[in-house]
C-alpha cells in the first residue's frame, strides 16, 4: 500500500536502524451534536469525535486524521473560506478550520488542502464560559474573515481572523465585539455580506425564544439589533443566508432560511430599497406577526433599507428539522457567483429533503427525498452539501454518516455512497480474528463491530481501504470486553457487558461469504460452508438475544402476517435480511442485516462483566466482573464447546482488570484494582481444568490496568496508574522475579501488548498505551526464552514514540498486535488500538528492532 495524500508517519532512528509507524485506518463515529459537521471548500469534511477533530475524505471514504488539542467534546466546526466564499477559494492552498468544544474553547487549525498537511494554528482567547453551540462566518476579503461564536452562556462574540492563503502564512485572531443576548441562549447563527453594501454585514441569531434576531454591523465588528422575525413556534435550530440573488429585474435579494423544532422551514426574503426618509426607520421597530406574511419589518443598514417578507413556509418533515442549508454557489466567468435556488433540510424523521421552486408557479416544493427506512435509525442531526452540489451528507443519532450522490445523467438519481463509520462512545476492548483477517471491537455505544481491509474490486497498486463489514451484536447494555475463540471451527467470540451474563456468538453463513468477498482469501474454517446452517440473525423486539435465521427457513414467506398486533405494536419489527455483500455495506445494512446469532449465555458472575480472555488452543475462556470483595472477584473458567464452568479462581479482592494466558497455555496471568498480580497454573483435563495459584504479589503502588506475556517465554509486563511498566519472569513454575522497571512514563499506563520478533535472542516489541492517548514502542531482548538455556541480561529501550497526530486524544483502552504471517524480522507488523476517544486505529510498524 502506497501512502495516500495526507498519510501520517511517525519515525525514530536508533543505532542506524529506523522504526516507523504509519496510519492504516481510523474508525470513529460523529459526536451527537447538531452543528458538529462542516464540509469545507477544500473537499474535506470535519467533525468532532469525543475531544478530537476528525477529517474525512468523501472521495476515499476514510478518515485521514484526528487533530488533538481540545480537553472536552467537540460541539461544532467551521471551515474558512466557507463554501459560499467561492471567489476567495480559487487557487487557495491553505484553509482554516475552527472548532468549538463543550468547555467554551475555540481552536483554529491550518489545513493544506493539496498536500494533506495540518497543524494547530492557535487557541482563541477564552471569551465563553460554557460550551460553544454554533460558529458562523464569511470571508470579507481574500485574507480576512469575520466569524461569530455563540455559547450556552448567552453571549455572541464577533471575531476577525486573518488567514494567509500561502502554506507558510500565520493565522491572527482578534475579538471585535461581544453581544449579550439575554437569558435564553442562541443555538444557531448565520452571517452574510449585505448586497450593494460591501462594508456591511448581517447576522441572524435563533434560539430558545422562538424568534430570529437580525443584527447589522460593519467590518469593525460593531453590530446593532435591526429587527426580530416571528413565526416559528418552537426552538430555532438552524439558519442560513443565501448569496444575493437577482430575480426578475428586482435589485439584489438576500434570502434567509430557518428551521425549527416546530417541524417547519421558513424562507425570508430581504429586498433592498434606498432609504429616503426617516419614516422607514420608524417602520423598523415593527415585528412580523403570524398573520402578516407579506409585509415584515423594515430595517436600515448604511444608506439602504431592507424590507423583510416571508417568501415561503415549507411543511414536509414529521419531526424536528435540525438543519437547513442553501446549495453552495457556483463560480461564473469573471468575478460572479450564481446562487442556485435549492435548499437541503435534515430532520429527526430520518429524512433529508431538497426543496426547489417549481419552474411555472414559483412555489417551493420538495423535489428530492432521501433517508434511512431502517427502524433502527433515530433521525438526522444535520445535512450538508458537497461544494459542487453533487453529493449530500447527513450525520445521525447513532454517530453515523449517510451520503448520497446524484449519479443520474438526464434526471436526478441519488444513490448511497461509502462513508467512514465507527463507534460513538468509548471503545472498551478489541481483538483480532484468529486469522488476523479482521478486527472486532466493542464499545459503550452497545455495539460490536467488525473492521477489515476491503480488497474486492481494487485494481493492482490502488490503496486498500478498511471498512466496517459487519455489526455482529447490537445490545441493550454497554459492552466492556470481548475475546475471539482460537482453534479450529467456525468463527466465534464471547463478549461481556454491563450485565452478569457473557454471551457467545457464532459467525453466520452470510458473514463468512462477505468476508471472502472482502479479503479475497479462502475461508479459514476447516469445515465447508455447507456445514454452517445459520444464515444470519434477528433482533427480538424487546429482548437482548439475537435469534438465528436458518438457511432452510430462509425461503419462508414474508413475516408480515405472523403478528396480530396493530401497526404501533413493538412486535412489528421486520425480519432481518442476511446479505452477502460484494461491496462495503452502508449504515442501515450494517445496523440490521449483519447480526450474528447468539449461541450460548454464560451465567455465574455476580456483577457486570469487566474482562475476558481465551487460551491459544481455543479450549478455555476466563472471565471476571466488577468486584468490591474477594468472593465476587473470582475468575471463572469456562470450557469451550460445552460452555460449562470448570473453575473458579480465587486470589484478588477487587475487580480483575485484565487477564492473559501464556502462549503455551500453562499459566494464566491476572492483574487487579487491588494492585496485585496473580499467576495461576492451568492444565486442561477431560473433566474440565485443574488450576493452582502459583504466585501472588503486590506489584505496583496504584491500580494495575494492563498485562501482557512475552510470546517466546515466561516473561510478562504489567502497567499501572503509578506511570510505571515492570517486566517480570516466572521462575521454576513456583515464583515470580522482577527483571526490570522501565523509566517513568508521562502518564498512567493503561494498555500493553508484547509481540515476539526473534525467538533465538528472545527479542520482541512492547507497545505501551497511556491515559493521555499516546503510544510508545519499546524493544525488549534477553532474559530466557521458554525451554532455552542460560539467561542473558534483559535489555530494554524505547524505539518509537508515536506522533501525537497519529495517537488517541484520551485514554488508550487496549493494544493488540496482529499475529505476523511471516517470521521475517523486516516484515511490517500491524498494531490495533482503541480508546476513550471513540476511535479504533490500526498502525503499520516497519523496521527491524
Amino acid at each position: 500500500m502506497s501512502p495516500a495524500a495526507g498519510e501520517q508517519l511517525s519515525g525514530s532512528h536508533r543505532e542506524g536502524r529506523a522504526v516507523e509507524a504509519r496510519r492504516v485506518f481510523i474508525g470513529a463515529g460523529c459526536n451527537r451534536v447538531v452543528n458538529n459537521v462542516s464540509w469545507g471548500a477544500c473537499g474535506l469534511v470535519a467533525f468532532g469525535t469525543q475531544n478530537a477533530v476528525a477529517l474525512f475524505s468523501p472521495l476515499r471514504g476514510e478518515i485521514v486524521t484526528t487533530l488533538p488539542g481540545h480537553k472536552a467534546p467537540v460541539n461544532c466546526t467551521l471551515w474558512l473560506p466557507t463554501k459560499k466564499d467561492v471567489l476567495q477559494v480559487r487557487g487557495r492552498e491553505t484553509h482554516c478550520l475552527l472548532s468549538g468544544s463543550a468547555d467554551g474553547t475555540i481552536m483554529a487549525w491550518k489545513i493544506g488542502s493539496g498536500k494533506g498537511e495540518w497543524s494547530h494554528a492557535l487557541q482563541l482567547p477564552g471569551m465563553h464560559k460554557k460550551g460553544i453551540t454554533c460558529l458562523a462566518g464569511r470571508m470579507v476579503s481574500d485574507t480576512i474573515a469575520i466569524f461569530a461564536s455563540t455559547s450556552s452562556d448567552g453571549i455572541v462574540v464577533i471575531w476577525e481572523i486573518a488567514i494567509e492563503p500561502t502554506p507558510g502564512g500565520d493565522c491572527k485572531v482578534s475579538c471585535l465585539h461581544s453581544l449579550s443576548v439575554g437569558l435564553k441562549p442562541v443555538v444557531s447563527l448565520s452571517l452574510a455580506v449585505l448586497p450593494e453594501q460591501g462594508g456591511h454585514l448581517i447576522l441572524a441569531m435563533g434560539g430558545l425564544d422562538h424568534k430570529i434576531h437580525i443584527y447589522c454591523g460593519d467590518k469593525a465588528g460593531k453590530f446593532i439589533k435591526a429587527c426580530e422575525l416571528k413565526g416559528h413556534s418552537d426552538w430555532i435550530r438552524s439558519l442560513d443566508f443565501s448569496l444575493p440573488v437577482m430575480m426578475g429585474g428586482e435589485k439584489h435579494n438576500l434570502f434567509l432560511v430557518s428551521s425549527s423544532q416546530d417541524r417547519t422551514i421558513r424562507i425570508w426574503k430581504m429586498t433592498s430599497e434606498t432609504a429616503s426618509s426617516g419614516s422607514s426607520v420608524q417602520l423598523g421597530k415593527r415585528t412580523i406577526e403570524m398573520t402578516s406574511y407579506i409585509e415584515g419589518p423594515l430595517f436600515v443598514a448604511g444608506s439602504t433599507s431592507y424590507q423583510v417578507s416571508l417568501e415561503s413556509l415549507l411543511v414536509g418533515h414529521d419531526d424536528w428539522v435540525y438543519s437547513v442549508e442553501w446549495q453552495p454557489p457556483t463560480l461564473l466567468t469573471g468575478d460572479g457567483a450564481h446562487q442556485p435556488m435549492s435548499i437541503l433540510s435534515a430532520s429527526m424523521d430520518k429524512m433529508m429533503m431538497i426543496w426547489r421552486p417549481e419552474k411555472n408557479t414559483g412555489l417551493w416544493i420538495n423535489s428530492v427525498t432521501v433517508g434511512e427506512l431502517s427502524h433502527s435509525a433515530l433521525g438526522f442531526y444535520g445535512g450538508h452539501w458537497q461544494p459542487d452540489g453533487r453529493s449530500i451528507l447527513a450525520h445521525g443519532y447513532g454517530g453515523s454518516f449517510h451520503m448520497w450522490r446524484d449519479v443520474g445523467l438526464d434526471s436526478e438519481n441519488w444513490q448511497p455512497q461509502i462513508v467512514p463509520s465507527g463507534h460513538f462512545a468509548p471503545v472498551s476492548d478489541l481483538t483480532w480474528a484468529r486469522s488476523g483477517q479482521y478486527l472486532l471491537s466493542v464499545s459503550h455505544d452497545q455495539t460490536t463491530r467488525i473492521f477489515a481491509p476491503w480488497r474486492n474490486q481494487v485494481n493492482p497498486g490502488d490503496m486498500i481501504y478498511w471498512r466496517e463489514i459487519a455489526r455482529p451484536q447490537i445490545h441493550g447494555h454497554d459492552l466492556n470486553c470481548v475475546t475471539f475463540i482460537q482453534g479450529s471451527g467456525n468463527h466465534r467470540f464471547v463478549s461481556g457487558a454491563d450485565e452478569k451474563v457473557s454471551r457467545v456468538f457464532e459467525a453466520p453463513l452470510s458473514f463468512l461469504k462477505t468476508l471472502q468477498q472482502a479479503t479475497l482469501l479462502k475461508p479459514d474454517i476447516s469445515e465447508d460452508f455447507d456445514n454452517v446452517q445459520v444464515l444470519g440473525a434477528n433482533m427480538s423486539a424487546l429482548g437482548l438475544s439475537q435469534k438465528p435465521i436458518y438457511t432452510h427457513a430462509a425461503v419462508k414467506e414474508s413475516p408480515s402476517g405472523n403478528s396480530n398486533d396493530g401497526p404501533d405494536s413493538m412486535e412489528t419489527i421486520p425480519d432481518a435480511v442476511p446479505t452477502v455483500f460484494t461491496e462495503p455495506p452502508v449504515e442501515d445494512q450494517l445496523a440490521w442485516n449483519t447480526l450474528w446469532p447468539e449461541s450460548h449465555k454464560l451465567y455465574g458472575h455476580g456483577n457486570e462483566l469487566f474482562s475476558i480472555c481465551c487460551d491459544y488452543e481455543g479450549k478455555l475462556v476466563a472471565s471476571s466482573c466488577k468486584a468490591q470483595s474477594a468472593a465476587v472477584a473470582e475468575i471463572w473458567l469456562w470450557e469451550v464447546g460445552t460452555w460449562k464452568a470448570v473453575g473458579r479462581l480465587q486470589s484478588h479482592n477487587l475487580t480483575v482488570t485484565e487477564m492473559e494466558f501464556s502462549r503455551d497455555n500453562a499459566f494464566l496471568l491476572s492483574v487487579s484494582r487491588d494492585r496485585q498480580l496473580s499467576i495461576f497454573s492451568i492444565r486442561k483435563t477431560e473433566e474440565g481444568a485443574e488450576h493452582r495459584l502459583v504466585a501472588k504479589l503486590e506489584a505496583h503502588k496504584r491500580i494495575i490496568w494492563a498485562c501482557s506475556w512475552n510470546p517466546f517465554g515466561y516473561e510478562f509486563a504489567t502497567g499501572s496508574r503509578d506511570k510505571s511498566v515492570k517486566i517480570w519472569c516466572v521462575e521454576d513454575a513456583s515464583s515470580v522475579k522482577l527483571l526490570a522497571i522501565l523509566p517513568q512514563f508521562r502518564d498512567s499506563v493503561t494498555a500493553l501488548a508484547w509481540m515476539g520478533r526473534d525467538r533465538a535472542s528472545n527479542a520482541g516489541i512492547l507497545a505501551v498505551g497511556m491515559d493521555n492517548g499516546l503510544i510508545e514502542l519499546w524493544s525488549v531482548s534477553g532474559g530466557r526464552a521458554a525451554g532455552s538455556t542460560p539467561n542473558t541480561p534483559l535489555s530494554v529501550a524505547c524505539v518509537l514514540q508515536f506522533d501525537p497526530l497519529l495517537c488517541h486524544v484520551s485514554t488508550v483502552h487496549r493494544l493488540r498486535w496482529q499475529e505476523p504471517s511471516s517470521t521475517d524480522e523486516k516484515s511490517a507488523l500491524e498494531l490495533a488500538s482503541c480508546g476513550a476517544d471513540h476511535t479504533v486505529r490500526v498502525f503499520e510498524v516497519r523496521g527491524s528492532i
Side-chain angles (χ1 to χ4, degrees), residues 435 437-438 452-465 469 511-524 529 580-584:
S435 54
Q437 289 178 348
Y438 59 89
W454 193 276
R455 293 188 167 87
N456 196 358
Q457 298 172 337
V458 175
N459 299 319
D462 282 3
M463 276 289 291
I464 295 167
Y465 297 117
I469 63 168
F511 171 78
L512 296 172
K513 290 183 174 178
T514 298
L515 182 67
Q516 201 174 356
Q517 292 279 349
T519 59
L520 301 180
L521 298 173
K522 290 183 178 176
D524 70 334
F529 279 163
V580 178
F581 294 102
T582 54
E583 55 187 35

Side-chain angles (χ1 to χ4, degrees), residues 88-337:
Q88 286 80 17
V89 168
R90 293 176 298 178
R92 180 176 283 273
E93 294 180 33
T94 302
H95 292 249
C96 178
L97 174 64
L98 299 167
S99 57
S101 62
D103 61 0
T105 304
I106 302 174
M107 290 191 172
W109 315 83
K110 283 197 306 180
I111 313 292
S113 56
K115 302 173 185 170
E117 297 168 347
W118 27 78
S119 63
H120 183 271
L122 50 95
Q123 180 171 328
L124 274 62
M127 298 293 292
H128 292 289
K129 302 290 184 286
K130 292 185 179 176
I132 309 295
T133 53
C134 189
L135 295 167
R138 288 293 300 277
M139 300 294 291
V140 292
S141 74
D142 283 343
T143 57
I144 304 293
I146 303 285
F147 72 94
S149 62
T150 181
S151 159
S152 41
D153 59 8
I155 291 174
V156 175
V157 180
I158 313 296
W159 309 80
E160 179 185 87
I161 183 166
I163 312 160
E164 294 296 331
T166 53
D170 289 333
C171 286
K172 291 176 184 165
V173 171
S174 53
C175 175
L176 300 180
H177 193 46
S178 179
L179 301 166
S180 182
V181 293
L183 297 173
K184 294 197 172 177
V186 166
V187 293
S188 54
L189 294 172
S190 185
L191 188 70
V193 180
L194 280 168
E196 301 173 356
Q197 295 279 333
H200 284 81
L201 302 168
I202 182 168
L203 175 65
M205 308 178 189
L208 280 53
D209 63 358
H210 312 173
K211 300 173 191 172
I212 300 168
H213 303 270
I214 303 292
Y215 284 74
C216 291
D218 53 24
K219 292 181 183 177
K222 292 286 181 277
F223 279 79
I224 55 168
K225 189 163 183 178
C227 62
E228 289 178 353
L229 307 181
K230 292 182 182 174
H232 285 295
S233 57
D234 206 334
W235 291 11
I236 291 157
R237 298 307 305 230
S238 182
L239 295 165
D240 193 32
F241 278 111
S242 70
L243 252 57
V245 177
M246 291 284 282
M247 292 182 69
E250 293 180 9
K251 292 191 177 180
H252 290 286
N253 294 307
L254 196 64
F255 287 92
L256 171 68
V257 62
S258 61
S259 73
S260 165
Q261 290 180 185
D262 64 10
R263 309 180 182 188
T264 66
I265 299 163
R266 288 170 181 261
I267 304 173
W268 311 85
K269 180 178 173 184
M270 298 173 184
T271 311
S272 59
E273 300 171 359
T274 305
S276 55
S277 67
S279 60
S280 59
V281 180
Q282 293 296 318
L283 286 167
K285 294 182 180 173
R286 289 181 48 206
T287 54
I288 189 167
E289 301 295 337
M290 286 288 285
T291 50
S292 53
Y293 283 112
I294 306 304
E295 261 198 13
L298 203 67
F299 66 89
V300 176
S303 60
T304 309
S305 63
Y306 292 85
Q307 172 71 54
V308 183
S309 58
L310 183 64
E311 169 79 4
S312 189
L313 173 66
L314 310 181
V315 181
H317 286 292
D318 297 329
D319 210 331
W320 297 354
V321 186
Y322 266 144
S323 89
V324 279
E325 186 177 290
W326 286 95
Q327 183 174 336
T330 53
L331 199 59
L332 301 175
T333 49
D335 273 350

Side-chain angles (χ1 to χ4, degrees), residues 71-83:
K71 300 288 187 285
V74 175
N75 284 347
C76 45
T77 55
L78 173 69
W79 287 96
L80 291 172
T82 69
K83 287 177 284 193

Side-chain angles (χ1 to χ4, degrees), residues 28 102 116 141 206 301 366 396 406 475 521 526 601 605 622 677 698 706 746:
S141 74
N366 164 23
D406 179 13
H475 205 38
L521 298 173
S526 51
K601 294 184 184 68
H605 285 291
L677 70 81
E698 183 167 330
R746 287 173 283 176

